[in-house]
C-alpha cells in the first residue's frame, strides 16, 4: 500500500510578541500565575500591520517550496484551513496561490484549491483530504500543499483574550514522505455543540468552561472510536502525543483523561493499585454524578504519581514548548504541537525513525479526531531545516498600549486600518498586505 503522509513542514509566526505574565496580566489586574501555571502560556504572537492569514500562509508555503526545490507544477492541490477567513466566497487558497505566482515563473492553474472550515480541526481535515486524494491515485505524482493559518483574536476582555495567537503552518503531503506516515485508521468523536462559534462575526462567542468539557468528551469518543478499528491503545505505545493546544493547560487535562483511559485494565493500573487504588468502574456507582466525582478524584491522584509524571514529561510536555510562546493558532495548533515534539527529540539526539505518534485534533462545534503517525527516516533533516527559534526570538515586544493598537488594526469593525498605525517591524523577502482593490479584495505584494 502506498505510504502517504507529511513530507515537510514550515511555520510562520506573527512577528509581534505580547508577554502575558509581564505585560498583559498586570494590565488586566490578573495574577501572572494564571498565565504561566494555569493556562501554561508565556506569550502570544500577533501579526504586524502588514501581516494577515494570507501573508503568513503564503510565506510559510513559499519557504517550504524553496527548501524542497518545488515549482508550482509540482503541486496538484492547495487546501487552506482557517477560521479567520475574510470572504464567504473566494477561498484564501486562491490569494495564497496568487502570492506565490508573483515569485515563480509557473502557475497553479491546474491545482485544485479549497478552504476548509470546522473550527480548529479543519487543518487535520485538510490533511485528510490530501491523504485521500493521493491514496485514491488522483494526484498524478504531484504533492498537496496544506496550509493552516489563523489570527486567533478574541474580543477585548473576553476570557479567551488570554489565549490569543497568530501564525501559519504549511504541510507538504506526498507519497513516501520524509517526516511522518499517516495511519489509515482514524477515530472520530463528533456532536452538535455550541461551545464556540462565530455567527457572521469576527470574534468568537465562547462558552469557555463548556468548551473545555466538550473538548474532553469528544476526545474520549474519538479515542474509543479509534480503538474500535485498532488494538486498545497503551500509554507507552507512542513516543509523543500531540494534542490540539488552545493553551497548554487544556492539554494537561486531555492527557490525564487519555492516560486514565489507556491504562485501564493494564499493568499500569495494577502497579498503581497500592498507591492510589483501582480506577472507578461505572457499573459500581448508583449515579452518573457519583461516578464522575470518583473518576475526577482518581485522575487527580493519578496525575500526582511518579509514573504519570514521567510519562507526561516524556510524551506530552515536549509538544507544548512552541505553544507556550505563541498562544493558540487554531487550525495550526495541533501541527505546531507535532513540530514542537519532533524538534525536542532532535535537540535531545533521540532516534525517532519508526516510532509512533498519536495525534489528537479538536475543533469546537464540535469534533475530535485521533490517528496515529509513524516517524520516517528523513524526519531529522526536515526538522533541522526549520528556523522556529530564530523567528520566535526576532519578534517585536509589544507594550500594552501597542497591543491595544494592534488589536484594533486587525479588528474588522474598527476604522483604524493599517494606514493609521505604523508597522513595528520591517518586511524583508516576504509577502505583505498592500491595501484593498476595487471589489473589496485584499491585495498583496512581495517585498524584496
Ligand atoms: N496560579 C495558578 N493557576 C491559576 C491562577 C494562579 N494565580 N489563577 C488561575 N489559575 C488556573 C485556574 O485554576 C485554571 O486552571 P484549571 O482549569 O486547571 O482549574 C486556569 O488557571 C485558568 O483560570 P480560569 O480562572 O479558569 O480562567 P478563565 O475563567 O479566564 O478562563 C478559559 C479560561 C480557558 C475558559 C478561557 O481562556 C477561554 O474561554 N478560552 C477560549 C476557549 C478555549 O480555548 N477553549 C478550549 C477548548 S478549544
Amino acid at each position: 500500500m502506498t505510504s502517504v503522509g507529511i513530507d515537510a513542514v514550515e511555520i510562520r509566526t506573527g512577528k509581534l510578541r505580547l508577554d502575558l505574565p509581564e505585560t498583559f496580566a498586570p494590565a488586566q489586574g490578573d495574577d501572572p500565575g494564571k498565565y504561566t501555571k494555569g493556562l501554561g502560556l508565556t506569550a502570544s504572537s500577533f501579526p504586524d500591520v502588514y501581516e494577515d492569514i494570507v501573508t503568513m500562509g503564503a510565506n510559510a508555503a513559499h519557504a517550504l517550496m524553496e527548501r524542497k526545490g518545488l515549482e508550482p507544477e509540482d503541486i496538484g492541490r492547495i487546501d487552506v484551513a482557517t477560521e479567520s477567513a475574510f470572504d464567504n466566497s473566494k477561498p484564501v487558497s486562491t490569494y495564497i496561490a496568487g502570492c506565490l505566482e508573483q515569485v515563480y515563473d509557473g502557475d497553479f492553474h491546474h491545482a485544485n484549491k479549497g478552504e476548509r472550515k470546522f473550527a480548529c480541526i479543519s487543518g487535520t481535515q485538510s490533511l485528510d483530504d490530501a491523504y485521500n486524494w493521493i491514496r485514491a491515485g488522483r494526484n498524478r505524482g504531484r504533492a498537496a500543499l496544506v496550509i493552516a493559518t489563523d489570527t486567533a483574536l478574541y474580543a477585548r476582555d473576553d476570557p479567551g483574550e488570554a489565549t490569543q495567537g497568530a501564525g501559519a503552518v504549511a504541510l507538504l503531503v506526498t507519497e513516501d514522505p520524509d517526516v511522518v506516515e499517516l495511519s489509515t485508521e482514524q477515530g472520530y468523536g463528533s456532536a452538535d455543540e455550541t461551545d464556540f462559534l462565530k455567527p457572521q462575526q469576527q470574534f468568537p462567542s465562547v462558552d469557555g468552561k463548556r468548551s473545555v468539557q466538550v473538548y474532553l468528551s469528544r476526545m474520549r469518543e474519538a479515542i474509543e472510536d479509534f480503538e474500535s478499528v485498532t488494538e486498545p491503545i497503551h500509554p507507552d505505545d507512542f513516543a509523543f502525543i500531540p494534542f490540539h493546544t488552545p493553551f497548554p493547560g487544556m492539554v494537561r487535562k486531555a492527557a490525564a483523561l487519555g492516560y486514565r483511559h489507556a491504562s485501564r485494565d493494564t499493568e499500569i493500573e495494577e502497579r498503581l493499585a497500592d498507591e492510589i487504588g483501582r480506577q472507578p468502574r461505572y457499573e459500581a456507582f448508583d449515579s452518573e454524578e457519583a461516578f464522575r466525582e470518583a473518576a475526577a478524584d482518581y485522575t487527580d491522584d493519578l496525575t500526582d504519581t511518579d509514573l504519570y509524571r514521567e510519562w507526561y514529561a516524556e510524551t506530552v510536555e515536549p509538544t507544548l514548548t512552541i505553544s507556550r510562546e505563541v498562544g493558540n493558532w487554531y487550525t495550526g495548533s495541533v501541527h505546531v504541537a507535532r513540530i514542537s515534539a519532533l524538534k525536542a527529540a532532535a535537540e535531545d539526539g533521540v532516534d525517532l525513525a519508526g516510532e509512533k505518534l498519536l495525534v489528537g485534533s479538536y475543533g469546537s462545534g464540535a469534533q475530535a479526531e485521533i490517528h496515529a503517525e509513524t516517524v520516517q527516516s528523513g524526519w531529522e533533516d526536515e526538522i533541522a531545516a526549520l528556523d522556529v527559534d530564530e523567528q520566535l526570538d526576532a519578534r517585536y515586544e509589544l507594550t500594552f498600549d501597542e497591543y491595544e493598537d494592534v488589536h484594533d488594526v486587525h479588528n474588522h469593525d474598527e476604522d483604524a486600518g493599517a494606514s493609521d498605525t505604523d508597522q513595528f517591524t520591517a518586511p524583508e523577502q516576504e509577502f505583505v498586505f498592500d491595501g484593498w482593490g476595487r471589489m473589496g479584495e485584499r491585495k498583496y505584494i512581495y517585498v524584496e
Side-chain angles (χ1 to χ4, degrees):
M1 196 157 43
T2 321
S3 158
V4 178
I6 301 171
D7 191 55
V9 292
E10 268 294 345
I11 75 164
R12 277 295 172 272
T13 178
K15 291 194 187 176
L16 309 178
R17 177 182 191 274
L18 177 68
D19 193 288
L20 293 170
E22 297 284 328
T23 308
F24 187 70
Q28 296 293 108
D30 287 335
D31 182 327
K34 170 177 168 178
Y35 299 86
T36 50
K37 298 199 185 91
L39 297 169
L41 290 167
T42 311
S44 298
S45 277
F46 290 96
D48 205 335
V49 298
Y50 56 85
E51 295 184 292
D52 65 11
I53 51 171
V54 173
T55 66
M56 293 186 298
N59 288 321
H62 185 212
L64 188 149
M65 286 181 66
E66 286 297 285
R67 188 155 61 72
K68 299 298 277 187
L70 298 173
E71 295 293 329
E73 47 273 25
D74 300 320
I75 307 290
R77 202 180 162 103
I78 305 178
D79 290 301
V80 171
T82 186
E83 50 183 301
S84 322
F86 46 77
D87 193 308
N88 285 329
S89 176
K90 182 174 158 60
V92 170
S93 50
T94 58
Y95 281 100
I96 289 181
C99 285
L100 295 170
E101 285 171 355
Q102 293 182 34
V103 295
Y104 288 102
D105 290 337
D107 61 51
F108 296 94
H109 286 207
H110 302 298
N112 186 14
K113 306 180 191 89
E115 188 174 299
R116 262 279 192 178
K117 178 182 71 184
F118 194 152
C120 303
I121 201 173
S122 64
T124 297
Q125 291 182 315
S126 299
L127 189 58
D128 253 13
D129 293 341
Y131 175 93
N132 294 337
W133 173 70
I134 295 174
R135 284 289 295 274
R138 291 176 138 183
N139 60 320
R140 301 184 230 155
R142 297 176 298 171
L145 198 49
V146 170
I147 301 160
T149 181
D150 271 300
T151 44
L153 294 184
Y154 290 76
R156 296 295 313 282
D157 296 327
D158 184 288
E161 194 182 2
T163 67
Q164 297 176 122
V169 180
L171 306 167
L172 190 72
V173 186
T174 65
E175 289 171 35
D176 299 323
D178 278 343
V179 182
V180 289
E181 177 188 350
L182 270 56
S183 66
T184 310
E185 295 79 14
Q186 292 177 293
Y188 289 105
S190 190
D192 177 14
E193 301 275 8
T194 46
D195 52 335
F196 173 115
L197 52 156
K198 300 181 184 174
Q200 304 300 326
Q201 64 196 45
Q202 182 187 4
F203 300 133
S205 298
V206 194
D207 185 341
K209 304 283 182 221
R210 176 149 176 73
S211 76
V212 169
Q213 291 314 315
V214 174
Y215 180 124
L216 296 174
S217 302
R218 302 288 77 81
M219 197 62 80
R220 184 206 326 261
E221 271 180 5
I223 293 172
E224 286 166 358
D225 193 41
F226 181 70
E227 287 181 313
S228 75
V229 289
T230 62
E231 300 289 302
I233 57 173
H234 185 284
D236 299 334
D237 289 346
F238 305 99
F240 295 110
I241 306 189
F243 282 102
H244 168 53
T245 313
F247 53 93
M250 180 71 243
V251 170
R252 203 170 50 225
K253 296 180 204 287
L257 176 133
Y259 191 89
R260 178 161 59 88
H261 175 92
S263 60
R264 194 172 307 140
D265 294 324
T266 68
E267 82 292 352
I268 295 177
E269 188 182 17
E270 288 292 322
R271 272 174 70 187
L272 293 175
D274 284 347
E275 196 180 341
I276 58 169
R278 286 181 186 281
Q279 296 201 20
R281 301 304 202 260
Y282 188 78
E283 313 75 67
F285 291 83
D286 292 337
S287 71
E288 171 97 20
E289 200 188 342
F291 167 70
R292 281 188 186 281
E293 214 170 288
D297 288 345
Y298 178 88
T299 308
D300 283 347
D301 293 343
L302 179 66
T303 54
D304 280 341
T305 63
D306 289 342
L307 199 59
Y308 178 83
R309 283 170 185 266
E310 279 162 27
W311 171 84
Y312 184 86
E314 270 179 28
T315 316
V316 180
E317 183 62 39
T319 70
L320 304 174
T321 316
I322 301 175
S323 167
R324 289 189 198 290
E325 266 297 317
V326 301
N328 193 356
W329 285 11
Y330 286 163
T331 55
S333 121
V334 67
H335 307 291
V336 166
R338 181 196 296 102
I339 293 171
S340 186
L342 297 181
K343 190 168 162 291
E347 283 160 8
D348 290 347
V350 178
D351 181 10
L352 273 189
E355 297 280 329
K356 300 247 186 252
L357 312 181
L358 187 71
V359 180
S361 303
Y362 173 75
S364 292
Q367 183 160 301
E369 189 260 8
I370 296 273
H371 69 263
E373 297 180 354
T374 308
V375 181
Q376 302 297 292
S377 56
W379 74 279
E380 219 171 341
D381 289 344
E382 287 303 319
I383 296 303
L386 298 178
D387 64 349
V388 182
D389 293 333
E390 289 80 354
Q391 287 187 50
L392 296 182
D393 290 348
R395 288 176 298 173
Y396 175 89
E397 192 70 45
L398 292 168
T399 64
F400 191 76
D401 287 349
E402 288 169 339
Y403 158 66
E404 293 193 298
D405 287 345
V406 167
H407 198 285
D408 281 351
V409 165
H410 295 289
N411 180 343
H412 301 167
D413 290 336
E414 292 282 338
D415 291 332
S419 56
D420 296 330
T421 304
D422 288 337
Q423 61 196 36
F424 296 91
T425 60
E428 202 180 325
Q429 298 193 323
E430 63 192 285
F431 300 103
V432 299
F433 172 63
D434 190 37
W436 282 267
R438 73 183 171 90
M439 291 176 73
E441 77 275 22
R442 293 172 76 88
K443 300 203 301 186
Y444 298 92
I445 51 163
Y446 187 76
V447 173
E448 288 296 340

